[in-house]
Structure formats: structure tokens, C-alpha cells
């Protein structure tokens, strides 16, 4: 390998350094995807050394451009480039690719290493989150910029693969991105003709460019001309298109320079020593060296550090001038960056008086949103075409539309999965975002919900029509298994409040979260409002509480329920008392937080000495047997629902106070044996 100061030769040296580091790391791990990093190395090089505004010394600088590797399987492309550019990543980190505890995980993970903006890997999620990030940029620009001061104005770049383009979530989000005119979003489609199991033409023959033109994107196809100057030219031209997002189609050569180039053998497996030797010889490198980093290449990449510091210094000057002009907005902007909530925002949550008629918890949620929105300017959100049913509109909040980004209400259309990813993207930009739909359609957006938990994002998911209680719409809309499925996601707190007061406390809890998402399961039908004095202030934080108890505090049986079934077990307890049976009533609005409560509190609520228990929830029994124990019973659903008026549907499935009381007596008898 010869050394040179020639510009084009230096470009090639730097690009090949990305390639060799990537294939060496995959080979050492004996696992990974070497082909895409080898093919896309010129693009990563151009973005990080010529195009993007970024500062490796301060990866979270607010003025930076954002980069999302939607093709997350090509993670070594990102890791190699971050290391070479001077981010807090070491050569040893690259050597520990895909090892336990290493910041270079198999797919990029946010917060695992500075410089990774979003967790990607599930295809389609990255480009969809990029839409949310680009939308967040426009919304923040509308809130903070003026004619003389522009402190928000970054671009969002993403690289998407053939697989990304095949995922429905990418289509949903891309359609909405064009509708909203997100001109600072630039996606690169790597049309390399190869995916893991086959050539692309065996599964997809559509013209992706024409599809995106139909959405309303600016589309440029440069074929396989991956010359750095050409990549820079088309990217800068796309950056000048302000009224719509841009798709730049590049046809990279997967596994470039190896004998496995342009084949599926270069996609998802190490190349093997012989193929790596041939590739390095093709690049003019010493085939006997691994993880080689030429000094010239490293020095050239590290110029990004000085350039980044200069860019940040220039931005800081603009920011100081903006602060002088807008002292009233400084605290809000800084809270976005820190994730802090306005001081004392939650000190006066609304309370609802006891009322047998009550209200639907979806309506209570809507009122809680108005309360929270009046205190938290960064609270934004919307629904998948169900705003009037989910009660998600912020009063006088204004709608977000193309060219009008100052509003707070988002119209996602019937795009649940895109909604989930876009909400996550908005959260990555510092906004407190929520998205709503019916609980049964949480399945359509599960990938995004799971990523919100994995990324430790405090996204808020509003799911109404939470049970067979929605009635006449029938089993297609009546969720049965969904609560159990959501509760199975680590770090996701699933709240099913029993009344308006628990709902408000749930919103206070959700908005005080910094590293965990929250999912609400809310009723369509009215639920009696519990006397607020009986609902402890920390009901959600602790997850469960004793709503009413036997007069001597020594119950014969414990009745447990969530949501709409809490009023049912209160009625069952009255029937048992009439028969001389002492019952404790426990409301469990959040099984997840109760699971993590200390053992002493769990024992206080559900004493082991009282083995007779009945849990009631109009949903799957999965997860409940932990709490009912060996002598307890569960009353709920083990089939799909039925269409009919809600009271009749409950009666049809035997989810009644009478049945709960009968099961309580059976459990007492069983516990006594």
C-alpha cells in the first residue's frame, strides 16, 4: 500500500479503511454483514467528511445533522466511520464487534455509543423514525426560529436497503413525509440488487423511484457511480430542495472488491480468510494485516473534529444572539435538550368526584391531555384517524400540515405503524409525543412500540376501546390477547386505569418517565368514578393498592382487577359481604410497576396468608397466575369476543359480579384444604 497526499488517492485510502475494518470485524466475530459496509463505504465517507454538520467531540450538539442507518445490519459501516471520525469509540471496540457488553452491538443501539441517533435493525424502522426526526426538526424550527435567528435547521440523512423498502412501515411513513413536505429529509436507497436469501429481483421488480415520485418525493438515480465527488454533488443538490423529501438511489456493489461481490454470499456471513485476502489485494493493502488504520486516512477523517468544533462555535454564536432576542424561550429550548419537564408542572392534577355514572377513561384521558398540554409546551401527538374516538386532540393546539409546523395535533391517517415510528422520531428530537389508536390495532405498530422500550424513549401510546366492553363492533375490534402481549415487552409500562382519577395519575406518571414508554388501555364505556380520597397519589408508581378492605383488615378472599372490571369486583365484594364473606378489593392499574415494587409492599397488598384470590380482567389470563396463586381463580377471556351491547357481551362470557363472587367462594374452599 503506497502513501500519497493526492486528493483522490486519499479519498480511496479512507474509503478502503472503512471497508477493511468492517470486514475484519465481521470475520473476527464470525458473525455479521460485511457486504453492505464494503459497498456503501464511499457514501459514509462523503457524509461524515464532506456533508454533515457534526462534532465528534460533542455528539449531542443540538445544531448537528442527524444520521440514521436504517439498514442496521450494515452496522460496521457506522462503527468504522464513527471510530475513524473521532467519536468516543476505540479500535478495540471494533475488535469486540458483536460481543457481550461491547458498544459495537450486532445492530446499532441508541445510548450504547455516542453518535448513534436511533436503534435500528428491524427493517423499515430507521427510515420511518427519520421521518419523525425530520418532522420534529420542522416543528422545533417553527417554535424557535425567526427571520433573524435560526438555531434549528439540521438535515436528517438515512440509508435504506432493499429490505427497508419492502417493509410496509417505510411506505406508510414515506407517504406521510411527502404529504408534510419534509424537505430536510434525505434518504439514500441502496439498490444493490441483493438481499439475504436471494437476489432482489426474485421478490421485487417494482420501480422504487417511481413509487417515491408518486408519493411526492424528489428522486435522483445515480446508478453505480459511487465517486465521492458525484455523491457530494447530488446530495448537496437534494439539500437545496426545501419543499419535499429527497430519495437518492445508489447502486452499490455489495462485498465490493471481494470474489463474493454482488452475490448473496457477501450479505449476511463473514467473507472468509481467502476472500478477505483477495479483497485486500484488490485494494492494494497488505493481506496479512488486520484492523490496519493508515495514519493518513485516520488524520484525514479526524479533520472532522476540528471542523465540528468550528461549526459548533459558529452555532453557539447564533445561539447566544438568539438567547438575547428570545429570553422567554431559552428555558424551553434547554429543557428539550436535557429532557427535563417544567418545574412543578404536575403539582395540581385534576380530580374527579365520586360518581356512579362516571365517564369513559378515554374521555378522562382527553381531559388529562388538556391539563398536561397547558403545562408542557412540548407535548404533541395525534391518532391514526381516530382522534374523536381516542380523544387525542389538544384544544386550540392547531394542526401540523405542510408548511405549517407550529401546531400540536398530528394527523397520521390510517398508518398505525408509521405513527409509532414517527412518535419515536419526535421523541428522539426532544418532543413529548403520543400516538393513539384502538388497542386491537396495537399489533399493527408493535415493532415501533418494542423499539421505544429498547431505546428507553418515553413515548406514550394511547389505546382505547380496550376490551369486549366496546360492544357492537365485535371480535375484530375487541382486544383479548393484547394486554398480555404488551405486558411482555420489557420496560414498557402498561396502564389500565379503573376510573378518571387513575387515568389522570397515569398521565402524570407517563410524562414523568425519562427512560420508559407508557401504554394506556382505556375504556370506550363509562366507568364509575372512585372517591378520589381512596385512590393513593402513588397508585401508578406502586402499581396496585387496596381500594377497600374487610373491616378487621383480615379478608377471607382478595379480589383483584384492572380497568372496567374494578367496579365489577366492588359489586362482587358487596355480594360476598351480604353472605358473610370478608373481601379485600385491589385495583391493579399497572401490573408492570407492581411487579417491580418491593416485596414488603407486595405482601402488604396481597398477603401470602390469604391464598383465596380471584383476578378479573376481560382479557387473556396470561400473566395473572403469578398473582392469584395455587388456590386462586381467574375470570376473563380465553376466546375471541362477540358482537352485541357491552352489558350483554359481559353476561355472555360470564364476566359478572355474581360469577366473581361464586369463584371467590370456590377459591376460599380450595385454600382451606
Amino acid at each position: 500500500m503506497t502513501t500519497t497526499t493526492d486528493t483522490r488517492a486519499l479519498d480511496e485510502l479512507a474509503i478502503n479503511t472503512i471497508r477493511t475494518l468492517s470486514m475484519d470485524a465481521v470475520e473476527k466475530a464470525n458473525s455479521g454483514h460485511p457486504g453492505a459496509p464494503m459497498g456503501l463505504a464511499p457514501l459514509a465517507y462523503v457524509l461524515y467528511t464532506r456533508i454533515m454538520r457534526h462534532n465528534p467531540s460533542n455528539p449531542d450538539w443540538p445544531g448537528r445533522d442527524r444520521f440514521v442507518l436504517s439498514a442496521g445490519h450494515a452496522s460496521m459501516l457506522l462503527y468504522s466511520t464513527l471510530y475513524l471520525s473521532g467519536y468516543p469509540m476505540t479500535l478495540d471496540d471494533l475488535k469486540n464487534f458483536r460481543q457481550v457488553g461491547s458498544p459495537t452491538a450486532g445492530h446499532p443501539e441508541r445510548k450504547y455509543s455516542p453518535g448513534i441517533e436511533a436503534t435500528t435493525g428491524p427493517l423499515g424502522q430507521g427510515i420511518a423514525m427519520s421521518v419523525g426526526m425530520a418532522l420534529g426538526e420542522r416543528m422545533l424550527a417553527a417554535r424557535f426560529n425567526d427571520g433573524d435567528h435560526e438555531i434549528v435547521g439540521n438535515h436528517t440523512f438515512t440509508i435504506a436497503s432493499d429490505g427497508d423498502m419492502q417493509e410496509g412501515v417505510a411506505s406508510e411513513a414515506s407517504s406521510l413525509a411527502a404529504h408534510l413536505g419534509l424537505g430536510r429529509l434525505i434518504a439514500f436507497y441502496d439498490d444493490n440488487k441483493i438481499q439475504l436469501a436471494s437476489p432482489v429481483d426474485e421478490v421485487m421488480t417494482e420501480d422504487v423511484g417511481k413509487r417515491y415520485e408518486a408519493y411526492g418525493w424528489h428522486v435522483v438515480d445515480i446508478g453505480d457511480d459511487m465517486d465521492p465527488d458525484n455523491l457530494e454533488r447530488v446530495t448537496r443538490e437534494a439539500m437545496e430542495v426545501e419543499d419535499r423529501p429527497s430519495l437518492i438511489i445508489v447502486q452499490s456493489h455489495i462485498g465490493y472488491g471481494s470474489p463474493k461481490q454482488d452475490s448473496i454470499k457477501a450479505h449476511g456471513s463473514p467473507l472468509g480468510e481467502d476472500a478477505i485476502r483477495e479483497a485486500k489485494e484488490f485494494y492494494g493493502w497488505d493481506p496479512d494485516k488486520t484492523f490496519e488504520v493508515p495514519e493518513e486516512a485516520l488524520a484525514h477523517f479526524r479533520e472532522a473534529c476540528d471542523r465540528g468544533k468550528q461549526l459548533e462555535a459558529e452555532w453557539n454564536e447564533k445561539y447566544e444572539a438568539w438567547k438575547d432576542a428570545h429570553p422567554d424561550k431559552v428555558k424551553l429550548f434547554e429543557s428539550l435538550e436535557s429532557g427535563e419537564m417544567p418545574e412543578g408542572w404536575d403539582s395540581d392534577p385534576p380530580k374527579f368526584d365520586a360518581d356512579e355514572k362516571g365517564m369513559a377513561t378515554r374521555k378522562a384521558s382527553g381531559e388529562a391531555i388538556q391539563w398536561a398540554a397547558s403545562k408542557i409546551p412540548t407535548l404533541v401527538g395525534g391518532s391514526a384517524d381516530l382522534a374523536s374516538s381516542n380523544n387525542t386532540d389538544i384544544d386550540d393546539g392547531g394542526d401540523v400540515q405542510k408548511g405549517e409546523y407550529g401546531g400540536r395535533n398530528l394527523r397520521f391517517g390510517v398508518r398505525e405503524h408509521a405513527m409509532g415510528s414517527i412518535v419515536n422520531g419526535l421523541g428522539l428530537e426532544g418532543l413529548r409525543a403520543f400516538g393513539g389508536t384502538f388497542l386491537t390495532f396495537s399489533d399493527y405498530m408493535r415493532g415501533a412500540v418494542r423499539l421505544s422500550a429498547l431505546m428507553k424513549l418515553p413515548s406514550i401510546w394511547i389505546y382505547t376501546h380496550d376490551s369486549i366492553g366496546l360492544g357492537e363492533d365485535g371480535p375484530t375490534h375487541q382486544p383479548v390477547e393484547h394486554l398480555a402481549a404488551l405486558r411482555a415487552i420489557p420496560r414498557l409500562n402498561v396502564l389500565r386505569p379503573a376510573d378518571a382519577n387513575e387515568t389522570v395519575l397515569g398521565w402524570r406518571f407517563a410524562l414523568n418517565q425519562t427512560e420508559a414508554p407508557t401504554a394506556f388501555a382505556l375504556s370506550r364505556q363509562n366507568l364509575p368514578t372512585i372517591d378520589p380520597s381512596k385512590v393513593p397519589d402513588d397508585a401508578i408508581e406502586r402499581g396496585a393498592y387496596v381500594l377497600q378492605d374487610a373491616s378487621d383488615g383480615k379478608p377471607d378472599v382478595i379480589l383483584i382487577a384492572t380497568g372496567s372490571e374494578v367496579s365489577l369486583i366492588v359489586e362482587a365484594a358487596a355480594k360476598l359481604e351480604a353472605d358473610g364473606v370478608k373481601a379485600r378489593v385491589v385495583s391493579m392499574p399497572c401490573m408492570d410497576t407492581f411487579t417491580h415494587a418491593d416485596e414488603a409492599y407486595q405482601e402488604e397488598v396481597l398477603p401470602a396468608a390469604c391464598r383465596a384470590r380471584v383476578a378479573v380482567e376481560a382479557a387473556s389470563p396470561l400473566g395473572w397466575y403469578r398473582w392469584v396463586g395455587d388456590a386462586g381463580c381467574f375470570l376473563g377471556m380465553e376466546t375471541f369476543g362477540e358482537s352485541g351491547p357491552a352489558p350483554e357481551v359481559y353476561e355472555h362470557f360470564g364476566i359478572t359480579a355474581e360469577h366473581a363472587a361464586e369463584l371467590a367462594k370456590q377459591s376460599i374452599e380450595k385454600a382451606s384444604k
Side-chain angles (χ1 to χ4, degrees), residues 65-82:
D65 288 330
R66 272 61 162 174
F67 173 75
V68 176
L69 184 62
S70 192
H73 55 277
S75 57
M76 272 309 305
L77 174 73
L78 179 56
Y79 299 149
S80 297
T81 306
L82 290 176

PDB file of all heavy atoms in Angstrom, residues 65-82:
ATOM      1  N   ASP A  65     -26.421  17.729  12.227  1.00  0.00           N
ATOM      2  CA  ASP A  65     -27.280  16.932  11.366  1.00  0.00           C
ATOM      3  C   ASP A  65     -27.460  15.558  11.997  1.00  0.00           C
ATOM      4  O   ASP A  65     -26.629  15.111  12.801  1.00  0.00           O
ATOM      5  CB  ASP A  65     -26.662  16.784   9.979  1.00  0.00           C
ATOM      6  CG  ASP A  65     -26.706  18.075   9.170  1.00  0.00           C
ATOM      7  OD1 ASP A  65     -27.641  18.860   9.378  1.00  0.00           O
ATOM      8  OD2 ASP A  65     -25.794  18.293   8.349  1.00  0.00           O
ATOM      9  N   ARG A  66     -28.532  14.886  11.608  1.00  0.00           N
ATOM     10  CA  ARG A  66     -28.796  13.538  12.133  1.00  0.00           C
ATOM     11  C   ARG A  66     -28.543  12.501  11.041  1.00  0.00           C
ATOM     12  O   ARG A  66     -28.877  12.729   9.881  1.00  0.00           O
ATOM     13  CB  ARG A  66     -30.252  13.428  12.588  1.00  0.00           C
ATOM     14  CG  ARG A  66     -30.527  13.844  14.026  1.00  0.00           C
ATOM     15  CD  ARG A  66     -30.193  15.263  14.345  1.00  0.00           C
ATOM     16  NE  ARG A  66     -30.845  15.718  15.570  1.00  0.00           N
ATOM     17  CZ  ARG A  66     -30.623  16.884  16.125  1.00  0.00           C
ATOM     18  NH1 ARG A  66     -29.761  17.737  15.584  1.00  0.00           N
ATOM     19  NH2 ARG A  66     -31.257  17.236  17.236  1.00  0.00           N
ATOM     20  N   PHE A  67     -27.982  11.374  11.454  1.00  0.00           N
ATOM     21  CA  PHE A  67     -27.797  10.254  10.535  1.00  0.00           C
ATOM     22  C   PHE A  67     -28.385   8.998  11.161  1.00  0.00           C
ATOM     23  O   PHE A  67     -28.090   8.660  12.314  1.00  0.00           O
ATOM     24  CB  PHE A  67     -26.322  10.008  10.228  1.00  0.00           C
ATOM     25  CG  PHE A  67     -26.099   8.758   9.418  1.00  0.00           C
ATOM     26  CD1 PHE A  67     -26.400   8.735   8.064  1.00  0.00           C
ATOM     27  CD2 PHE A  67     -25.631   7.595  10.011  1.00  0.00           C
ATOM     28  CE1 PHE A  67     -26.231   7.576   7.312  1.00  0.00           C
ATOM     29  CE2 PHE A  67     -25.460   6.440   9.278  1.00  0.00           C
ATOM     30  CZ  PHE A  67     -25.757   6.425   7.927  1.00  0.00           C
ATOM     31  N   VAL A  68     -29.207   8.305  10.388  1.00  0.00           N
ATOM     32  CA  VAL A  68     -29.829   7.061  10.851  1.00  0.00           C
ATOM     33  C   VAL A  68     -29.524   5.964   9.839  1.00  0.00           C
ATOM     34  O   VAL A  68     -29.845   6.097   8.653  1.00  0.00           O
ATOM     35  CB  VAL A  68     -31.352   7.219  11.008  1.00  0.00           C
ATOM     36  CG1 VAL A  68     -31.996   5.887  11.396  1.00  0.00           C
ATOM     37  CG2 VAL A  68     -31.680   8.291  12.046  1.00  0.00           C
ATOM     38  N   LEU A  69     -28.909   4.900  10.301  1.00  0.00           N
ATOM     39  CA  LEU A  69     -28.622   3.746   9.436  1.00  0.00           C
ATOM     40  C   LEU A  69     -29.826   2.814   9.489  1.00  0.00           C
ATOM     41  O   LEU A  69     -29.898   1.921  10.329  1.00  0.00           O
ATOM     42  CB  LEU A  69     -27.348   3.033   9.894  1.00  0.00           C
ATOM     43  CG  LEU A  69     -26.891   1.861   9.013  1.00  0.00           C
ATOM     44  CD1 LEU A  69     -26.546   2.320   7.600  1.00  0.00           C
ATOM     45  CD2 LEU A  69     -25.694   1.152   9.657  1.00  0.00           C
ATOM     46  N   SER A  70     -30.795   3.057   8.599  1.00  0.00           N
ATOM     47  CA  SER A  70     -31.985   2.210   8.598  1.00  0.00           C
ATOM     48  C   SER A  70     -31.617   0.772   8.281  1.00  0.00           C
ATOM     49  O   SER A  70     -32.199  -0.166   8.824  1.00  0.00           O
ATOM     50  CB  SER A  70     -33.007   2.742   7.586  1.00  0.00           C
ATOM     51  OG  SER A  70     -34.257   2.125   7.765  1.00  0.00           O
ATOM     52  N   ALA A  71     -30.640   0.593   7.400  1.00  0.00           N
ATOM     53  CA  ALA A  71     -30.118  -0.747   7.101  1.00  0.00           C
ATOM     54  C   ALA A  71     -29.180  -1.152   8.233  1.00  0.00           C
ATOM     55  O   ALA A  71     -27.962  -1.265   8.067  1.00  0.00           O
ATOM     56  CB  ALA A  71     -29.395  -0.742   5.761  1.00  0.00           C
ATOM     57  N   GLY A  72     -29.764  -1.386   9.408  1.00  0.00           N
ATOM     58  CA  GLY A  72     -28.969  -1.581  10.621  1.00  0.00           C
ATOM     59  C   GLY A  72     -28.044  -2.778  10.591  1.00  0.00           C
ATOM     60  O   GLY A  72     -27.073  -2.838  11.353  1.00  0.00           O
ATOM     61  N   HIS A  73     -28.328  -3.744   9.703  1.00  0.00           N
ATOM     62  CA  HIS A  73     -27.433  -4.901   9.608  1.00  0.00           C
ATOM     63  C   HIS A  73     -26.050  -4.484   9.120  1.00  0.00           C
ATOM     64  O   HIS A  73     -25.066  -5.199   9.327  1.00  0.00           O
ATOM     65  CB  HIS A  73     -28.026  -5.956   8.673  1.00  0.00           C
ATOM     66  CG  HIS A  73     -28.356  -5.451   7.306  1.00  0.00           C
ATOM     67  ND1 HIS A  73     -29.532  -4.800   7.023  1.00  0.00           N
ATOM     68  CD2 HIS A  73     -27.665  -5.493   6.137  1.00  0.00           C
ATOM     69  CE1 HIS A  73     -29.562  -4.461   5.740  1.00  0.00           C
ATOM     70  NE2 HIS A  73     -28.434  -4.870   5.184  1.00  0.00           N
ATOM     71  N   ALA A  74     -25.952  -3.306   8.466  1.00  0.00           N
ATOM     72  CA  ALA A  74     -24.661  -2.791   7.999  1.00  0.00           C
ATOM     73  C   ALA A  74     -23.966  -1.996   9.098  1.00  0.00           C
ATOM     74  O   ALA A  74     -23.247  -1.035   8.836  1.00  0.00           O
ATOM     75  CB  ALA A  74     -24.869  -1.926   6.767  1.00  0.00           C
ATOM     76  N   SER A  75     -24.154  -2.400  10.339  1.00  0.00           N
ATOM     77  CA  SER A  75     -23.691  -1.626  11.494  1.00  0.00           C
ATOM     78  C   SER A  75     -22.201  -1.323  11.476  1.00  0.00           C
ATOM     79  O   SER A  75     -21.778  -0.266  11.944  1.00  0.00           O
ATOM     80  CB  SER A  75     -24.052  -2.353  12.792  1.00  0.00           C
ATOM     81  OG  SER A  75     -23.502  -3.662  12.806  1.00  0.00           O
ATOM     82  N   MET A  76     -21.397  -2.229  10.921  1.00  0.00           N
ATOM     83  CA  MET A  76     -19.951  -1.958  10.906  1.00  0.00           C
ATOM     84  C   MET A  76     -19.614  -0.762  10.030  1.00  0.00           C
ATOM     85  O   MET A  76     -18.574  -0.122  10.227  1.00  0.00           O
ATOM     86  CB  MET A  76     -19.168  -3.188  10.464  1.00  0.00           C
ATOM     87  CG  MET A  76     -18.786  -4.134  11.601  1.00  0.00           C
ATOM     88  SD  MET A  76     -17.964  -3.350  13.020  1.00  0.00           S
ATOM     89  CE  MET A  76     -16.592  -2.508  12.244  1.00  0.00           C
ATOM     90  N   LEU A  77     -20.447  -0.432   9.087  1.00  0.00           N
ATOM     91  CA  LEU A  77     -20.256   0.797   8.312  1.00  0.00           C
ATOM     92  C   LEU A  77     -20.286   1.994   9.242  1.00  0.00           C
ATOM     93  O   LEU A  77     -19.432   2.893   9.150  1.00  0.00           O
ATOM     94  CB  LEU A  77     -21.367   0.919   7.262  1.00  0.00           C
ATOM     95  CG  LEU A  77     -21.399   2.214   6.454  1.00  0.00           C
ATOM     96  CD1 LEU A  77     -20.257   2.233   5.448  1.00  0.00           C
ATOM     97  CD2 LEU A  77     -22.744   2.381   5.752  1.00  0.00           C
ATOM     98  N   LEU A  78     -21.264   2.015  10.142  1.00  0.00           N
ATOM     99  CA  LEU A  78     -21.400   3.120  11.079  1.00  0.00           C
ATOM    100  C   LEU A  78     -20.292   3.092  12.127  1.00  0.00           C
ATOM    101  O   LEU A  78     -19.662   4.123  12.402  1.00  0.00           O
ATOM    102  CB  LEU A  78     -22.772   3.053  11.753  1.00  0.00           C
ATOM    103  CG  LEU A  78     -23.088   4.134  12.789  1.00  0.00           C
ATOM    104  CD1 LEU A  78     -22.933   5.528  12.204  1.00  0.00           C
ATOM    105  CD2 LEU A  78     -24.494   3.945  13.347  1.00  0.00           C
ATOM    106  N   TYR A  79     -20.007   1.929  12.698  1.00  0.00           N
ATOM    107  CA  TYR A  79     -18.994   1.850  13.743  1.00  0.00           C
ATOM    108  C   TYR A  79     -17.612   2.247  13.212  1.00  0.00           C
ATOM    109  O   TYR A  79     -16.880   2.997  13.871  1.00  0.00           O
ATOM    110  CB  TYR A  79     -18.928   0.434  14.316  1.00  0.00           C
ATOM    111  CG  TYR A  79     -20.200  -0.061  14.954  1.00  0.00           C
ATOM    112  CD1 TYR A  79     -20.530  -1.416  14.936  1.00  0.00           C
ATOM    113  CD2 TYR A  79     -21.091   0.809  15.579  1.00  0.00           C
ATOM    114  CE1 TYR A  79     -21.692  -1.890  15.516  1.00  0.00           C
ATOM    115  CE2 TYR A  79     -22.259   0.347  16.163  1.00  0.00           C
ATOM    116  CZ  TYR A  79     -22.554  -1.006  16.121  1.00  0.00           C
ATOM    117  OH  TYR A  79     -23.704  -1.464  16.701  1.00  0.00           O
ATOM    118  N   SER A  80     -17.253   1.750  12.040  1.00  0.00           N
ATOM    119  CA  SER A  80     -15.947   2.093  11.464  1.00  0.00           C
ATOM    120  C   SER A  80     -15.849   3.594  11.233  1.00  0.00           C
ATOM    121  O   SER A  80     -14.823   4.222  11.535  1.00  0.00           O
ATOM    122  CB  SER A  80     -15.736   1.346  10.143  1.00  0.00           C
ATOM    123  OG  SER A  80     -15.714  -0.044  10.343  1.00  0.00           O
ATOM    124  N   THR A  81     -16.929   4.176  10.708  1.00  0.00           N
ATOM    125  CA  THR A  81     -16.914   5.599  10.393  1.00  0.00           C
ATOM    126  C   THR A  81     -16.885   6.448  11.663  1.00  0.00           C
ATOM    127  O   THR A  81     -16.190   7.472  11.718  1.00  0.00           O
ATOM    128  CB  THR A  81     -18.129   5.957   9.526  1.00  0.00           C
ATOM    129  OG1 THR A  81     -18.156   5.103   8.376  1.00  0.00           O
ATOM    130  CG2 THR A  81     -18.060   7.395   9.061  1.00  0.00           C
ATOM    131  N   LEU A  82     -17.617   6.046  12.686  1.00  0.00           N
ATOM    132  CA  LEU A  82     -17.591   6.780  13.951  1.00  0.00           C
ATOM    133  C   LEU A  82     -16.195   6.746  14.562  1.00  0.00           C
ATOM    134  O   LEU A  82     -15.679   7.776  15.030  1.00  0.00           O
ATOM    135  CB  LEU A  82     -18.609   6.191  14.930  1.00  0.00           C
ATOM    136  CG  LEU A  82     -20.093   6.409  14.620  1.00  0.00           C
ATOM    137  CD1 LEU A  82     -20.961   5.687  15.643  1.00  0.00           C
ATOM    138  CD2 LEU A  82     -20.441   7.893  14.572  1.00  0.00           C
TER     139      LEU A  82
END
